[in-house]
């Protein structure tokens, strides 16, 4: 019995899996990616010197390292992941770049007591499709934001269908976040929210 076209696409784009394995993240962090997703250009409007930023599911740090540079020595970046191996690799990269001093790695989930409640910006890049209960997840992350703080949700266009992304945005609005923009990010579906 053969696979349907939908089934073939699901296999090719690893749809339906929940946690990206650590070894696959190496493929996301490479110099060629900068040609179509320049992290500084994507992040500069959202991360400023002195900010507290949460990078959810940071992988090997493709966005975390630039975030550390943008917030400077007066800011901090909390890298939140459920895989210790990812956070260990990220810590090593940040130390090699001389940026480990304002990096906090947190093994766990958004609702943990050790998470900040005054974040200026939260980045959720290409990972929320891995979360089974997105509404609870987003509610916990909303509690980490200060009033007026922003959250950028970005999903891979080939991996996450439009209707699935809209469902994620509906969940964000149900927890009280306000959609303010849909910035264009290459190969992605994206939405910027604020906490009132």
């Amino acid at each position: 019995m053969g696979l349907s076209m939908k089934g073939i696409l699901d296999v090719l784009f690893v749809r339906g899996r929940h946690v990206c394995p650590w070894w696959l993240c190496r493929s996301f962090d490479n110099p060629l990616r900068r040609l179509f997703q320049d992290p500084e250009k994507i992040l500069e409007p959202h991360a400023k010197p002195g900010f507290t930023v949460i990078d959810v599911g940071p992988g090997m740090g493709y966005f975390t390292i630039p975030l550390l540079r943008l917030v400077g020595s007066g800011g901090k970046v909390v890298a939140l992941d459920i895989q210790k191996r990812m956070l260990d690799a990220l810590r090593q990269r940040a130390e090699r770049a001389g940026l480990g001093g304002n990096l906090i790695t947190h093994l766990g989930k958004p609702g943990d007591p050790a998470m900040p409640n005054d974040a200026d910006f939260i980045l959720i890049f290409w990972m929320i499709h891995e979360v089974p209960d997105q509404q609870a997840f987003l509610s916990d992350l909303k509690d980490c934001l200060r009033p007026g703080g922003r959250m950028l949700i970005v999903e891979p266009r080939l991996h996450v269908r439009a209707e699935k992304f809209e469902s994620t945005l509906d969940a964000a609005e149900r927890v009280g976040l306000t959609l303010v923009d849909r910035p264009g990010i290459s190969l992605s579906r994206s939405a910027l929210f604020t906490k009132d």
Side-chain angles (χ1 to χ4, degrees):
M1 196 176 246
L3 282 174
S4 67
M5 181 54 78
K6 178 186 172 298
I8 291 169
L9 292 175
D10 288 347
V11 170
L12 283 174
F13 298 116
V14 200
R15 293 179 181 146
R17 293 186 65 124
H18 280 287
V19 177
C20 183
W22 68 269
W23 51 266
L24 185 57
C25 284
R26 291 186 188 279
S27 66
F28 299 144
D29 195 352
N30 64 69
L32 291 177
R33 185 176 181 186
R34 288 185 167 279
L35 297 175
F36 57 90
Q37 283 183 344
D38 181 333
E40 285 82 6
K41 186 182 278 189
I42 292 168
L43 299 170
E44 274 178 341
H46 312 294
K48 305 294 181 199
F51 270 25
T52 295
V53 174
I54 300 172
D55 188 2
V56 184
M60 302 294 201
Y62 184 76
F63 290 100
T64 316
I65 302 298
L67 281 168
L68 287 164
R69 288 189 183 104
L70 288 169
V71 302
S73 60
K76 65 181 172 183
V77 176
V78 178
L80 173 65
D81 208 303
I82 59 170
Q83 298 183 71
K84 185 178 184 317
R85 198 161 188 175
M86 293 281 201
L87 295 175
D88 290 345
L90 172 56
R91 166 68 58 198
Q92 289 175 354
R93 289 191 67 214
E95 296 290 342
R96 278 196 309 268
L99 298 167
N102 57 346
L103 172 66
I104 298 166
T105 55
H106 184 84
L107 183 66
K109 57 188 184 356
D112 291 344
M115 289 298 293
N117 62 1
D118 62 347
D120 300 286
F121 177 61
I122 296 175
L123 177 66
I124 311 171
F125 206 100
W126 284 17
M127 68 73 50
I128 200 166
H129 58 273
E130 298 176 358
V131 176
D133 187 346
Q134 292 185 0
Q135 187 164 325
F137 184 77
L138 289 165
S139 179
D140 287 342
L141 282 172
K142 178 189 170 204
D143 291 344
C144 295
L145 274 176
R146 66 165 177 77
R150 293 178 158 204
M151 181 186 298
L152 179 62
I153 300 173
V154 184
E155 287 285 74
R157 186 174 291 278
L158 291 175
H159 187 71
V160 177
R161 293 183 191 89
E163 56 273 10
K164 175 74 172 149
F165 187 66
E166 292 305 316
S167 172
T168 299
L169 304 191
D170 289 345
E173 290 180 327
R174 279 194 302 277
V175 302
L177 294 166
T178 303
L179 180 65
V180 293
D181 194 14
R182 290 192 181 225
I185 297 175
S186 180
L187 303 177
S188 303
R189 306 180 195 284
S190 58
L192 181 66
F193 288 88
T194 190
K195 176 180 177 177
D196 296 326

